[in-house]
Amino acid sequence: MILLLLLLGNPNVGKSTVFNALTGLHQHTGNWPGKTVSNAMGTTNFMNKDFLLVDIPGTYSIMSNSQEEEIARDYICFGNPNCTVVVVDSTCLERNLNLVYQTLEITNNVVVCVNLLDEAKKKGIEIDLNKLSDELGVPVVGTIARKKKTLKNLMQAIFDVCSSSQNKKYTKIDYGDTIESAIDILEPAIKKLLVNKDFYNYRWICLKVLEGNKKIISSIENYLNVKLLGNEDLQNTLAKAKELLIKNDVNLSSFKDKIVSKIMFNSETVALKVTSYAKLDYNSRNYKIDKILTSKLTGIPIMLLFFALIFWITITGANYPSQILSDLFNFIEGKLVNLFEFFNSPAWLTSVLVYGMFRTLAWVVAVMLPPMAIFFPLFTILEDLGYLPRIAFNLDGFFRKACTSGKQALTMCMGVTKLDFFIISLFVLHYLTDLPGFLQTTNIYYFISCKYYF
Ligand SMILES: Nc1nc2c(ncn2[C@@H]2O[C@H](COP(=O)(O)OP(=O)(O)OP(=O)(O)O)[C@@H](O)[C@H]2O)c(=O)[nH]1
Ligand SMILES: [Mg+2]
């Protein structure tokens, strides 16, 4: 039997790095949020047990505010995972614990993977993992996902959770007398409806029904094949529960606020309890740099300067290797023509193979390879310095006007090389059209290579 593992966590905490290290696959990783956009699956084996891992797109919450949140929530609730691994960033534990609590409210088959411990160490942050485990009531493992050997303990903890018979448990967060009494009113009715279904966490469904979260309710109805809002009994009980809430001044929006505030309060309290800071001003330098890089006044000019510098280095720097490659290919082309002449090959064959195929490929390689070899390492340096998320932040306002997010800017930057390719290819075509002898062949190869590339 294969065991299902979910990898869940905030964006950019190292889920895909853990996934790749465990499965040997090559999911895209990089230092900005939002790289994983669809679920990736891979397998691993530990102590003779097979595990199917699902790398889920990063999400800050599973309260159904976006598509990623819905995917993650539906997987945890209805995918029947044997274990959910919540990967958290040790340098900002408090924010990450929100998602941990939301997950624990659904299931206790959870292992918390406190990742980026090396980054935390650099910043003088220390996390008491045992204390965190006591507070959360689930296993907590510290990792540096880039170092594969640190993941052994994680697999051991996952193995133990999967082997334990303590299934069907969840964490009960106390939301105060009023909400708890409303849950007590509603729970028997929910239980009656779902008693034969493969779902045991009636309390969580009560919360979602009281919250009136239509997306979650319709997910529950679809996956569990049950009618919640259409059920008359449930409607009557729900009305009673809501009446109690209103009597105690809890309306729909304050209900949601209370839930969110309580989860945030718990995260804050626990994070404070388990985190200690060796350098009290560990963040002050980062804050200062952030202020300069993302402020309205200086953020955009600095970003434009960076881009201008990168493109200048790429374009001028690429000229030299391009020239060398071009000379080399010209030399090889001359030799190839001599070779074809030596074998008395027909003119059309020389035209197709040398002037068509070889010359087009040589041009594309000579012109495209050097800028790529310069641009991508520069882009990687910016990524490792953590500047890319700041660019995304700076451009978010503009991109939102076009109904998308600032993160799109990063993929568009990388896409510039495709645009380069297109423009350069046009030049190649233009140049070659002056040589009518092999114009047609070249055209065909040009279009094939262009189509292949796009
Ligand atoms: N220093 C350090 N870097 C890490 C560690 N784990 C991951 N990284 C780096 O953190 C960055 C983000 O890692 P990803 O695996 O892409 O993060 P993710 O959670 O999959 O991100 P999304 O798919 O965008 O949600 C990459 O540059 C990784 O190389 C770690 O333990 N230490
Ligand atoms: Mg990822």
Side-chain angles (χ1 to χ4, degrees):
M1 191 185 82
I2 195 154
L3 299 164
L4 179 62
L5 292 188
L6 297 186
L7 277 175
L8 185 73
N10 283 188
N12 213 27
V13 295
K15 298 175 293 301
S16 300
T17 312
V18 172
F19 176 86
N20 289 345
L22 293 177
T23 60
L25 294 176
H26 298 284
Q27 263 293 295
H28 181 47
T29 61
N31 192 13
W32 76 81
K35 295 158 303 280
T36 308
V37 287
S38 64
N39 301 328
M41 294 192 189
T43 55
T44 189
N45 183 287
F46 185 79
M47 291 172 78
N48 293 329
K49 269 197 180 170
D50 288 324
F51 295 87
L52 175 67
L53 274 84
V54 186
D55 181 18
I56 294 179
T59 171
Y60 291 104
S61 127
I62 42 174
M63 289 183 169
S64 190
N65 297 314
S66 67
Q67 210 178 355
E68 293 99 72
E69 295 184 17
E70 278 173 42
I71 295 174
R73 185 208 59 224
D74 286 351
Y75 244 113
I76 303 166
C77 289
F78 312 112
N80 284 330
N82 297 85
C83 179
T84 302
V85 181
V86 189
V87 185
V88 299
D89 179 350
S90 49
T91 63
C92 46
L93 192 63
E94 183 187 326
R95 190 190 69 201
N96 285 245
L97 281 180
N98 284 322
L99 184 67
V100 175
Y101 272 111
Q102 289 176 41
T103 311
L104 289 176
E105 240 193 343
I106 301 173
T107 171
N108 262 4
N109 282 6
V110 168
V111 171
V112 176
C113 166
V114 180
N115 193 34
L116 292 139
L117 279 183
D118 54 337
E119 289 295 319
K121 197 173 169 194
K122 270 190 222 160
K123 292 178 175 172
I125 303 172
E126 209 172 293
I127 293 169
D128 187 335
L129 299 174
N130 291 331
K131 208 171 178 182
L132 182 60
S133 174
D134 289 343
E135 290 288 340
L136 299 173
V138 290
V140 172
V141 184
T143 58
I144 301 167
R146 279 181 180 174
K147 293 183 185 161
K148 209 174 163 182
K149 62 175 192 267
T150 67
L151 298 176
K152 206 171 163 232
N153 290 346
L154 177 69
M155 277 315 293
Q156 184 63 55
I158 293 169
F159 182 89
D160 293 344
V161 167
C162 291
S163 315
S164 95
S165 53
Q166 282 197 335
N167 265 336
K168 305 200 169 180
K169 274 192 158 189
Y170 54 88
T171 300
K172 199 172 155 185
I173 298 175
D174 189 342
Y175 292 112
D177 290 347
T178 311
I179 293 182
E180 291 302 325
S181 309
I183 294 172
D184 287 344
I185 295 176
L186 199 58
E187 200 164 343
I190 296 279
K191 192 173 177 180
K192 207 167 130 194
L193 278 177
L194 298 180
V195 76
N196 289 322
K197 307 284 177 187
D198 192 17
F199 199 85
Y200 56 90
N201 194 339
Y202 309 121
R203 178 185 165 86
W204 184 77
I205 294 190
C206 285
L207 282 165
K208 299 303 147 189
V209 171
L210 283 168
E211 190 186 304
N213 191 323
K214 288 209 174 82
K215 278 187 187 162
I216 298 186
I217 293 172
S218 84
S219 268
I220 297 169
E221 290 185 329
N222 286 340
Y223 282 101
L224 300 181
N225 195 18
V226 64
K227 267 206 161 135
L228 291 178
L229 294 185
N231 183 286
E232 209 174 311
D233 264 3
L234 185 69
Q235 283 303 330
N236 292 337
T237 326
L238 181 61
K240 276 183 209 155
K242 280 190 173 167
E243 203 181 312
L244 178 103
L245 290 176
I246 300 285
K247 239 190 227 168
N248 289 283
D249 284 335
V250 181
N251 58 24
L252 198 61
S253 88
S254 58
F255 181 87
K256 282 184 197 164
D257 286 350
K258 278 184 193 297
I259 304 274
V260 174
S261 320
K262 181 68 192 189
I263 289 178
M264 283 173 74
F265 173 78
N266 282 3
S267 308
E268 196 185 330
T269 320
V270 170
L272 265 177
K273 268 190 203 166
V274 302
T275 315
S276 51
Y277 301 98
K279 304 174 197 162
L280 280 175
D281 64 337
Y282 83 97
N283 245 346
S284 66
R285 196 177 60 134
N286 274 7
Y287 279 137
K288 274 183 204 153
I289 297 175
D290 257 357
K291 239 184 172 174
I292 298 169
L293 293 182
T294 57
S295 88
K296 278 201 175 128
L297 203 66
T298 50
I300 302 273
I302 290 177
M303 185 188 73
L304 291 176
L305 265 176
F306 261 122
F307 278 156
L309 186 70
I310 284 182
F311 285 127
W312 181 75
I313 296 174
T314 306
I315 292 162
T316 51
N319 284 339
Y320 304 102
S322 271
Q323 191 56 49
I324 295 170
L325 279 176
S326 169
D327 290 347
L328 179 72
F329 287 131
N330 278 342
F331 172 76
I332 298 174
E333 186 185 304
K335 295 286 168 208
L336 280 177
V337 173
N338 288 345
L339 190 74
F340 276 70
E341 273 172 7
F342 177 77
F343 285 110
N344 284 331
S345 81
W348 65 266
L349 189 65
T350 314
S351 178
V352 168
L353 294 180
V354 182
Y355 297 127
M357 191 184 253
F358 179 79
R359 190 179 280 186
T360 313
L361 280 177
W363 264 88
V364 172
V365 172
V367 179
M368 282 302 296
L369 194 64
M372 275 195 193
I374 296 174
F375 179 79
F376 281 110
L378 287 178
F379 206 74
T380 309
I381 292 174
L382 282 191
E383 182 183 326
D384 279 347
L385 288 174
Y387 186 55
L388 295 192
R390 271 90 185 169
I391 294 180
F393 177 81
N394 286 338
L395 292 177
D396 197 53
F398 300 111
F399 276 75
R400 278 206 183 274
K401 290 200 172 97
C403 298
T404 177
S405 119
K407 284 182 266 177
Q408 181 93 28
L410 308 176
T411 35
M412 277 179 76
C413 274
M414 296 175 86
V416 165
T417 47
K418 282 194 181 179
L419 190 66
D420 281 349
F421 177 82
F422 185 62
I423 294 167
I424 290 160
S425 302
L426 281 181
F427 273 117
V428 174
L429 187 66
H430 182 78
Y431 168 78
L432 291 175
T433 47
D434 288 342
L435 304 164
F438 50 87
L439 172 67
Q440 264 191 330
T441 338
T442 313
N443 260 334
I444 292 164
Y445 283 117
Y446 165 74
F447 280 115
I448 290 173
S449 58
C450 224
K451 194 162 186 313
Y452 177 75
Y453 191 81
F454 284 108

